[in-house]
Structures are given as C-alpha cells and as structure tokens.
Amino acid sequence: MIAFIGRRLLSATTTIALSAVLVFLAVQALPGDVATQVLGQDATPEAVAALRAQLDLDQPAAQRFLAWVGNALQGDFGTSLTSGESVSAQVGLHLRNTLLIAVVTVFTAITASIVLGVVAGLYRDRWPDLLISGVSLIGMSVPEFVVATLLVLLLSITVPVLPAVVLDEAGAPMTDLLPAVWLPAMALAVVMTAYIVRMARTSVIDVMAGEFVTTARLKGLGTWRIVTRHALPSALLPTLNVIAMNIAWLVSGVVVVENVFNYPGIGQLMLEAVYSRDLPVLQAIAVLSALIYVVCNLAADLGAMALNPRLRTRERSTS
Amino acid sequence: MSDTRGQGPGHAGPPRRSVLLGGLGALGAAFLATGCSQQGGAATAISSTAATGTPAPGGLLRIARPPASQAETLDPASSLSAYEYLGALYSRLVRVGPDGEVAPDLATEWDSSPDGTTWTFRLREDVTFHDGRPFSSADAAYTVRRLVDPEVASPQAGVLGPLLDPGSVEAPDERTLVIELSSPNFEFPSLLTGYNCYVIPEGSGGSIGRGGVGTGPFRLESFAPAGRGRLTAFPEHWEGRPVLDAIEFYSVADVQARTNALLAGQVDLLSQTNLDFATARVISASSRATIARSTNAQWYVLPMLCTQEPFTDPRVRQAMKLAYDPTAVLKTALQGTGVEGHDNPVPPNDPSWTDYSVDRDPERARALLKEAGREDLRIDLHTSSYDPVFTPMALAYKESAAEAGITVDVRTASADSYYTRIWMKKPLCATYWYTGRPVDQMLNQIFRSGSSYNETAWSDEGFDALLDDARRTRDTGRRRTLYQDAQRHIVDNGGAMTPMFADRLVGISRDVLNYRETGFEFDYLNIGLRAQS
C-alpha cells in the first residue's frame, strides 16, 4: 500500500518535471521572443538588446531553465515579463476564477450524469435509455466551443437572460463574476456529462445484474431503494475514475470555453502568455495544470482503493 | 496579444487582433449564420452607413476592443499607444477633414515663408487641458520637439526627424508656433495629422502614459493596459460638450466573443475589428446591431521585396503585376465589396488620386519572364489568418497568375508573429494598410528609398526626386500633378501589387447615431445614442 503510494508520487513528480521541460522547449521553438513582442517593430535593435539583457534572455536557455526551477522549488514563480507583476498572484487570481467555473461544472455534471446514467441503466434499451444515450453521444462528439456558441445564441441573444461575454477583469469580486459563470459551466458540463453518463449507465447495468441485487429484491425492497442504497455506491466506483479524468480535462477544455466567453480565467491567461511569449507565466500554468492532472488521478486511484477492499488486497498481493 | 503595432502611423491596422482561435470564431459565425438565416434570408445585404440623427443627450457608449500588450500606454507619441483612446482624449494642431484636406484643430491658420522652410501656426485661444491648465504655444512646441526626441522613439520621428530638429521649434508668443525646416516642404502641415502628433501639456512626457491629460472632448477616469478604461465628458472642451456622458472600453480577445457581446447588447461598438463577410451579414440581420461601412478604408497589398530574388529584376516585378486580374481578385477576396487598386496605393477618394492603370496582359508577362530568364517562375506567397482577406487574396492571385505561367505556392504562417517574421522579410507576402493619411506622408513613408516602412525596399531616384519636387512646390495644383506622376511611377516600376481597396466593416449597435470615421479615428464629439422610447 505504502509502496504503491510512493510509486505513484514518484511518477507524479516525474510527470510534472517533464511537463515543465517540454513547455520550456516548446516556447523556445516559437518564432519571436518577448523583447520583440513587447517593443513592437519600431524598436531599435539597441532597445531590443537592452530589454533582452534586462530579462536575462541573453543567457543560455539551459541556465535560465535551471534558475527558474530553483526559484520555483522555493515557491517563487518570478514576475511576468510583460506586466511586471508577480506570476503567483496573477495565476492565483485567474485560477480562482476558473475554479468558480470548475466547481459549478463538476457539480452540475456529476448530478446530472448520475441521475441520467441510472435512469438509462434501469430502462436499458427502452426509450428513456435510447434518448439519453443518443443525446450523450451527440454531446460527446460536438466540440465545446460549438456548444458554447449555441448556448450564447439561445440564452444571450435570442432570449437574453445571461451575459454572452464577461466584461469584468480578473480582479473583479466573485459576486460580479457569478452571472457570467453559468454559460461556460453549462458548455463544459454538457460535454462532461455525456462522458460520465455512459460510464454510469454501464455500471448500473452490471450491478443490477449482480446477486446481491437479486437478494435485495427477494427481501422485498423497491427498485429505487435498491438503486440508492445498494447499487449506486457500487456503480459509482468505476465512475470515479472517469470523473477524475474529466476534472483534469476541464483544465484544458476551459481554455477554449474561456476564450469564447472572454472569461478571465487560467485559460485566457495562458493564451495571453503564449501570444506575448511570457515564459514565467506559461511555465507556472503548465506546472499547475500538470499538478492538477496528477492530483486528480492520484485521488481517483486512492479513492477507489479506499472504497473497494478487493482492489486494496489485490494491490497488496502484487507489491 | 499579437501586438505588432510597430506598424507605424497607421500600418495595417488592427494590429493585434486575436487570431489563435480565429478559425473557431469563423465556425461559430457560420453556426450563427445558419441560425439567423431563417429570419434574415440567406443573402442578407450588409448595410452601408450608420444611422444619423439627433441623439439623446448623455448616455454611455460601450466599446469592445482587442487587448493590446500589457505595455500599452496613453502616450500618443509612443508606438505602443492605445489609440482607441487618443482621439477622445487629445486634439492635434491640424487634422484630416472629411474631404481629405488638412483642416484646423488647435491651430486655426498656418502659413509658410515663400521658400517653404519656415512654418507659422496661429493657435486657438481659450483652450484648456483636462487639468485646468490653459493651452499655449509652449505645449505645442513641447509636443513637436518630443516627437523627434530619440529617447521617445516615436514612429513619427522617421517622418519629421529628417525635416526638423528640436532646436528649430519656437514659441515666440502665447498663440504662435514657428517651425524652421531644414528643407522646403509645402506639405508639412499634413505631416502633423498623424495620430502620434496629439498635443500634450508641456513637461508631461513622464506622466502622460497613465495620466492622459489632453484637450479632447473626454477626460480620463481610469485606464488599465490591455484592460478596462473609462472616459467622461469634458464640459469645457473648446468645441463644446460632447453628446455622450461617458465612454467605457473593454478588452475582448476573441473576435467571435466581441461579436457575441454586440449581438447580446453588452457593448455598442467593436473597435479595431474589421469583420469578415459572414459575421458582417449575421450582424446586419440582427435586430440589435448593424454594420457601419467605411469606404475604401484600407488597401490590400502583395509587396515584392525588391532586394530579394527574383524581384531584384524589374522585369519580373512587372510580369507579376501584368499577370493577375484585379477584378478576379476583388471578386474572390472581397466578394466584390471594394474597388480595384490597379497597383496604385492612393485611394480613389483622395484629392490627388490619378486614374492611371495598366491593363492585364498575361502574354506580355510570359514574354517578360522569358526575357529575364525566369520562365516557369515558381514563388512562395506568404499569408496568415491575421486578416480574413489575406488568404482568399493570395489564392485568387495564385489562380490568376497561373495563366501567365507563374506557379504560386501559398504558405500560411503563424499570425501572431506574422509582422515580425514574414512581413518585410520574405520576398512575397500579403498585407494591408489603413488609408486616410495625407498623400505626402504615405508616399514618403511607404515608398521612398530607405524609409522605415518601405515594405518593398524599393529604391528609385526618379521617384524620390518627384517627391522632393512636390514638397518644394508651392502651387497646390502643380504639387498635385507631381504626386500623380509619383503614382504612375509606382504603378510602372514599384514593387507593390495593390489589387484592391476594401471597405472596413465595423459592427455597431442600432442605437448608435452619427458614427463617422476619418482615417481610423472617429468623431467622438457628435456620436451619441438613440433616445429610448
């Protein structure tokens, strides 16, 4: 058990370190650097050279990378090359905004998908199942920006009840951002729900065919009671992993959706950083994304282990 | 974002359009288009002019713009100035009138010595800056001197620097500004109409970037680089109080998001956004928004670098120009909503425009290439998604030139580094400029030997001599003839192919009245909102 956790932590750390290296290399490969990007074309070669020296861009790439890693390990992600503000503060603010979307998305998606998944599983191959499965198949195949655009068309333009874009800045109070959270969250939740529904449906079908369900039926329990008290906890187990993967996906899917809604979250910050070649911001976001990804997976695995004694023993016997 | 604003006094314009997700935006627009076609009809015509009338006094105008770099500033002299704000905050000595001629602004009249080297400007009285200080000739002199100060590194320094030095600008009395030029120039006042030439208070160079103190119809309440900003009406403005109470600027990166904000009624105007046709039709069909069209607002170019193979040979350049059909390019790239350029960069509505053109002749092009030893010429034409017209224009050119035996390979480059890596670096690319600047400035800055924005690196002594002659000529009619000769020279010998002039399609709310654009700045004084019944 402990060896397993240790191994997982080690691979997690490797993943994060690798992602930092890859992002650094990718940005090096981009045409243009921050000095030319900030100063524009009117800049004299001397001005560009001066700015490059000031930002240490004239140092070898490997040396800059090591210096960055050293500081990052102490929690210092440096200052943004374009705004001059602290990267940690900037990333923190945008992450807060994205988390707002993420929380709403995850709650909506999990609730909706489990209800729909259970219904589909119970009414297997009958019309409620066919409808839910069909719609979720469409939800899976349509990219999130299309869903987002359709939602805007429906709920901001045709029936104007929600704002189409966010005009607030990253530092706006949460209460100001709240009306703008629903559309992005819905767009992401549609795609996420579609995935989890399929998983939940299969689980419910498996579990309902199990012996303990038959026993429960023989005891005279009603279908809904069997589902909520017995089948659901078992059905949720494999779903957990899918949910964790989806939360990790959320971090990347949010880039596109935030752009459509001009939402001042981590995705938008990342896009800006790519445009302006703002390496410190980009690296911080990359490491953070890798961290979220890894933590979600780890949590899913450990959660599954805690809930399922069989998995625990199997792990012990192989380690 | 893709800030390529070094493009100087009005290079190609919306310099930092969001492009990474441009493809997504276009798809979204297509979706919207299908959504709206039921009500609006599939081929909704794009409206042509903005509504005029008597607006309700007061009101708030909300403008969405693409975010510029975090380094942007309100200093008008800077290459990183947030120029959506400039026309509202500041005034110039002179401006370009709707007829394309130089018109009074802070200077009421001006005259030169008979030899055209000493210019005297009479300045308006009773003008105050937003901080209450009276405007005087000292402020005007400070502004002009600052433009040629190497420390400031203004893009306008390249235009004014060769003509004057800081010591030659004097303010003999409160209302008079005298500028001594190093060479005769009867077009000099037109060079002060550039958007870098807005007048700022004497000594304010250090604080103007955040302070924004000017003599314009609005004063600054707040400003965040690449973020939000708010301006409020300046009641003591010398032309009278503006109609609006306030203007708010918002940064919206994605062009589709900007369009959605307009359609949803969250903003009233999309600034720095030349909409593509699909989106423009969707907006025209909506009940809330419409399109204001700015005629001949930009010209599209395929600049050939005269310093790089194969364009070092003038016969090859001529063949490239003779090979293509501007009508076909116009039809494909602009769906016909523009006018043919015939390789002359001066727009047809400019007072000094000439209608000179050379007819298309693919056979002659073929012969010229043979003569130059370039039979079966194969050439890369670089384009990007920076502007929606670039790629259709490139493809239309490719098709057209094939008839002359020229093989064009269209290469798409990354949009956010297009103006630093491709433009003025590769032998052939697609680009555009804003019109609306004085002909002297345009010809000198983009076509004169060695000028910083000479995108074709064309160098022709005869042409430069024509420009010098024009500047030395006092008679307006004669000067005009010389500028027309210069245009012919460009058509015959230059490196730039100018297939067409395009209208700029600006998305505005149907509630906006009196939206008027000159060059790429609009009338902040009279713009207003419809009275709500």
Side-chain angles (χ1 to χ4, degrees), chain A residues 29 111 162 168 225 310 312:
Chain A
T111 317
L162 290 168
D168 292 292
R225 205 170 156 77
R310 269 179 300 174
R312 218 157 40 209

Side-chain angles (χ1 to χ4, degrees), chain B residues 30-106:
Chain B
F31 257 86
L32 281 174
T34 16
C36 291
S37 59
Q38 273 90 33
Q39 56 188 85
T44 316
I46 297 171
S47 47
S48 55
T49 47
T52 53
T54 312
L60 164 71
L61 184 75
R62 299 158 303 168
I63 300 180
R65 62 181 193 124
S69 91
Q70 298 275 358
E72 76 173 344
T73 158
L74 293 174
D75 179 355
S78 165
S79 61
L80 297 170
S81 58
Y83 50 57
E84 297 90 343
Y85 288 78
L86 301 184
L89 292 174
Y90 307 102
S91 329
R92 279 164 288 195
L93 289 173
V94 285
R95 58 182 157 201
V96 179
D99 55 357
E101 307 280 1
V102 179
D105 204 353
L106 286 178

Side-chain angles (χ1 to χ4, degrees), chain A residues 30-32 36-44 80 82-83 85 90 145-146 149-150 152-153 156-157 160 162-169 255-256 259-262 268 271-272 274-277, chain B residues 1-8 18-21 24 27-28 31-32 35 69-71 79-80 155 224 227-228 250-254 257 260-261 263-264 266-267 288 416-417 419-421 423 453:
Chain A
L30 280 177
T36 47
Q37 215 73 0
V38 166
L39 294 173
Q41 274 145 271
D42 281 316
T44 53
S80 157
T82 46
S83 70
E85 286 167 39
Q90 223 175 347
F145 73 86
V146 174
T149 307
L150 290 174
V152 168
L153 182 63
S156 313
I157 296 173
L162 290 168
V165 301
V166 189
L167 298 174
D168 292 292
E169 294 190 307
V255 176
V256 173
N259 200 55
V260 172
F261 293 101
N262 198 44
Q268 213 193 40
L271 269 185
E272 276 169 35
V274 170
Y275 280 132
S276 56
R277 314 287 188 262
Chain B
M1 303 253 104
S2 60
D3 195 61
T4 39
R5 190 172 276 237
Q7 301 155 27
S18 152
V19 276
L20 188 65
L21 294 167
L24 305 190
L27 247 169
F31 257 86
L32 281 174
S69 91
Q70 298 275 358
S79 61
L80 297 170
R228 267 174 96 150
Y250 308 104
S251 284
V252 181
D254 183 60
N260 288 345
L263 290 171
Q266 286 181 279
V267 298
R288 204 176 261 144
D416 65 339
S417 56
Y419 279 96
T420 45
R421 311 281 291 191
W423 182 64
Y453 292 113

Side-chain angles (χ1 to χ4, degrees), chain A residues 54-261:
Chain A
Q54 190 195 327
L55 298 173
D56 290 335
L57 291 176
D58 50 352
Q59 306 292 318
Q63 195 178 322
R64 277 185 287 136
F65 181 68
L66 289 177
W68 177 80
V69 170
N71 288 329
L73 286 177
Q74 297 162 34
D76 174 16
F77 286 90
T79 52
S80 157
L81 297 182
T82 46
S83 70
E85 286 167 39
S86 146
V87 171
S88 313
Q90 223 175 347
V91 168
L93 203 57
H94 284 81
L95 189 66
R96 178 203 74 169
N97 298 342
T98 295
L99 280 179
L100 205 59
I101 295 188
V103 167
V104 176
T105 306
V106 168
F107 273 104
T108 323
I110 291 179
T111 317
S113 57
I114 287 176
V115 170
L116 291 172
V118 168
V119 170
L122 289 180
Y123 291 91
R124 184 183 181 179
D125 293 335
R126 280 185 280 162
W127 71 263
D129 176 34
L130 294 178
L131 184 73
I132 292 169
S133 297
V135 168
S136 64
L137 207 64
I138 296 172
M140 272 158 99
S141 2
V142 177
E144 55 266 40
F145 73 86
V146 174
V147 178
T149 307
L150 290 174
L151 285 173
V152 168
L153 182 63
L154 212 69
L155 295 174
S156 313
I157 296 173
T158 314
V159 191
V161 286
L162 290 168
V165 301
V166 189
L167 298 174
D168 292 292
E169 294 190 307
M174 293 253 234
T175 42
D176 284 9
L177 285 173
L178 223 50
V181 163
W182 307 111
L183 283 185
M186 273 162 79
L188 291 167
V190 165
V191 182
M192 195 166 162
T193 302
Y195 277 98
I196 306 175
V197 161
R198 318 259 324 151
M199 202 61 217
R201 174 182 176 272
T202 318
S203 296
V204 167
I205 289 169
D206 280 357
V207 169
M208 291 306 279
E211 277 170 33
F212 71 98
V213 174
T214 321
T215 317
R217 267 194 215 284
L218 289 175
K219 277 200 314 197
L221 288 180
T223 307
W224 278 107
R225 205 170 156 77
I226 295 172
V227 168
T228 49
R229 295 291 292 276
H230 299 279
L232 206 54
S234 316
L236 270 181
L237 257 181
T239 317
L240 253 183
N241 219 342
V242 177
I243 292 174
M245 289 302 287
N246 270 286
I247 293 174
W249 161 82
L250 203 63
V251 179
S252 57
V254 97
V255 176
V256 173
V257 168
E258 283 183 356
N259 200 55
V260 172
F261 293 101

